[in-house]
Amino acid sequence: MPPYTHSADSRADADSTALPVLPIGSTAIVYCEAQFGEQDGKTANGLVRHSEKYKILSVIDSHHAGADAGALLDGTANGIPILANLAEAIAHAGRTPDYLICGVAPADGLLSGAQRIVLLDGIARGMHVINGLHEFLNDDAEFVAAALLADVTITDVRRPKDKKDLHLFSGRIFDVTCPRIAVLGTDGAIGKRTTSTLLVQALNDRGIRAVMVGTGQTTIIQGGRYGVALDALVPQFCSGEVENQVVAAFDGEDPDVIIVEGQGALSHPAYLTSAHILRGSRPAGVIVQHAPGRRVLGDFPMMPMPDVASEVALIESFADTRVIGVTVNHENLTETQISDAIDEIELDLGVPATDPLTRPLDELVYMVLQAFPELSKALTQSPA
């Protein structure tokens, strides 16, 4: 494979949203040791559920070796096996796959010593590495030397563009005439990206032109056309970069509706990204993702989870928008508890609620159409 050096800051010029040209080939193994199906495995979880750019061949996690990744995550097998180590994953593929993707996403964004060994092993075997962490491997002398020796590339997805190419808020968002819906939440790693992806797919399947703007590294790795790793930016440019990507999606796709992926939570003590999403995209509606069975914040067990009503109130007081519905993350809930949680939310808040992973997607589409009935004119017959 010819050498090609790039990182996320070579993605585009100041006004382009084109993603970088990667080396030929799309087969990938996702490394997620001890974290698959967990909150810190959200990148791997997302790639198993949805990937436009890579053909995911297997997931590495010795704690779940032998299981089917789809069955473990969602109860439905998808043919992606979970294997114990890199050697087994390559043997299963029948040849060395093109990419090794780092599928772990710890709160500190740093690699452990054991994780470094696996990624360096992949490089030595001739695999290109996709890294979504805050730690940039192209700045690490050991990784740079290994990649040069093996004639492969390392992509640091979270590396921002040069500051001269970043955007301040400009007001161009007021020229976007279609509705924007932000999918925010009550915590990090709670399912905002999954709900956003399912909603975009469901709307398009029904004839409503929807496009997603990603705000995290996983959406970019999955192959989203529009997005920025928001938590890697200097805060000065966060609102402007969100605005820029929404405007680019509007200009490039002429959509009926734009769905903006959320990050963290507006109430979260450690993250500010929800504030920038609200300011930059200026959504007409917000869907709030909530996990009723989660008692403390995912990576911050000293902090109790907010209740969904308080998050709704905070969002609606912070921005000129309205919450149009709530989506339930069913972790730690039985089927009966999921139904009870949905009923309770609808009674308490007076907005529709659903679980996108266990309930028909028509319920998610209805949530949007109830808030924006003008979109119904594009509605076609629901898929079988």
Side-chain angles (χ1 to χ4, degrees):
M1 231 174 254
Y4 177 87
T5 302
H6 84 79
S7 58
D9 59 355
S10 68
R11 289 177 58 206
D13 61 29
D15 294 311
S16 171
T17 59
L19 295 176
V21 177
L22 294 173
I24 295 171
S26 63
T27 56
I29 293 168
V30 181
Y31 172 68
C32 195
E33 176 60 24
Q35 296 299 328
F36 187 69
E38 305 296 330
Q39 292 178 39
D40 284 355
K42 63 181 183 179
T43 296
N45 302 342
L47 287 165
V48 162
R49 287 180 171 133
H50 175 75
S51 178
E52 298 175 32
K53 186 182 295 185
Y54 304 104
K55 180 180 180 182
I56 307 302
L57 302 181
S58 62
V59 174
I60 297 172
D61 184 349
S62 63
H63 292 221
H64 297 294
D68 178 277
L72 182 65
L73 271 185
D74 301 318
T76 302
N78 62 6
I80 299 175
I82 304 175
L83 302 172
N85 53 53
L86 183 58
E88 284 190 18
I90 291 174
H92 171 267
R95 67 175 183 85
T96 302
D98 303 301
Y99 294 94
L100 179 59
I101 302 174
C102 183
V104 295
D108 62 10
L110 303 176
L111 281 177
S112 69
Q115 291 165 346
R116 287 178 64 89
I117 290 171
V118 175
L119 296 184
L120 287 167
D121 186 18
I123 289 173
R125 294 171 183 266
M127 301 177 73
H128 304 277
V129 166
I130 306 297
N131 169 43
L133 300 177
H134 285 298
E135 181 177 3
F136 300 146
L137 302 185
N138 279 301
D139 294 340
D140 186 304
E142 185 177 15
F143 275 93
V144 170
L148 286 171
L149 186 63
D151 196 21
V152 299
T153 65
I154 298 170
T155 303
D156 290 316
V157 174
R158 261 184 169 134
R159 185 186 291 275
K161 295 179 288 188
D162 292 337
K163 289 183 178 64
K164 65 181 176 60
D165 294 327
L166 294 173
H167 297 80
L168 293 170
F169 183 81
S170 68
R172 291 182 299 150
I173 194 67
F174 299 115
D175 297 326
V176 177
T177 56
C178 72
R180 282 89 65 201
I181 299 172
V183 181
L184 305 182
T186 52
D187 193 9
I190 203 168
K192 298 178 290 288
R193 184 195 65 255
T194 297
T195 291
S196 300
T197 301
L198 291 172
L199 177 55
V200 168
Q201 291 172 342
L203 290 170
N204 280 299
D205 286 345
R206 290 155 178 80
I208 298 171
R209 296 192 310 279
V211 62
M212 179 171 164
V213 171
T215 54
Q217 77 278 10
T218 303
T219 303
I220 295 171
I221 295 173
Q222 287 174 321
R225 289 192 61 189
Y226 303 96
V228 57
L230 198 58
D231 63 0
L233 295 180
V234 174
Q236 179 81 357
F237 299 103
C238 286
S239 295
E241 282 296 301
V242 172
E243 177 191 49
N244 185 59
Q245 291 299 312
V246 172
V247 170
F250 179 69
D251 291 343
E253 307 293 333
D254 188 27
D256 297 314
V257 61
I258 295 173
I259 308 300
V260 184
E261 173 198 12
Q263 294 293 317
L266 189 59
S267 62
H268 202 292
Y271 307 133
L272 294 174
T273 39
S274 290
H276 297 299
I277 290 166
L278 286 166
R279 292 294 192 238
S281 68
R282 300 187 68 86
V286 172
I287 294 171
V288 177
Q289 180 93 8
H290 180 57
R294 191 180 292 189
R295 299 299 172 219
V296 296
L297 296 180
D299 287 316
F300 301 85
M302 76 296 293
M303 297 295 300
M305 276 284 290
D307 63 73
V308 68
S310 68
E311 196 73 27
V312 169
L314 182 61
I315 290 167
E316 293 185 337
S317 64
F318 181 82
D320 183 16
T321 190
R322 62 191 173 111
V323 171
I324 65 171
V326 174
T327 45
V328 170
N329 176 323
H330 59 256
E331 66 181 48
N332 303 320
L333 300 180
T334 65
E335 176 61 31
T336 298
Q337 289 171 326
I338 297 170
S339 296
D340 290 345
I342 289 171
D343 291 343
E344 182 178 349
I345 289 167
E346 292 185 334
L347 286 171
D348 288 350
L349 298 180
V351 297
T354 188
D355 175 0
L357 288 174
T358 66
R359 300 296 188 269
L361 287 176
D362 281 339
E363 295 182 10
L364 193 57
V365 173
Y366 168 77
M367 185 182 292
V368 171
L369 295 181
Q370 185 182 53
F372 301 99
E374 66 272 20
L375 295 175
S376 297
K377 65 180 182 295
L379 192 65
T380 59
Q381 184 175 356
S382 297

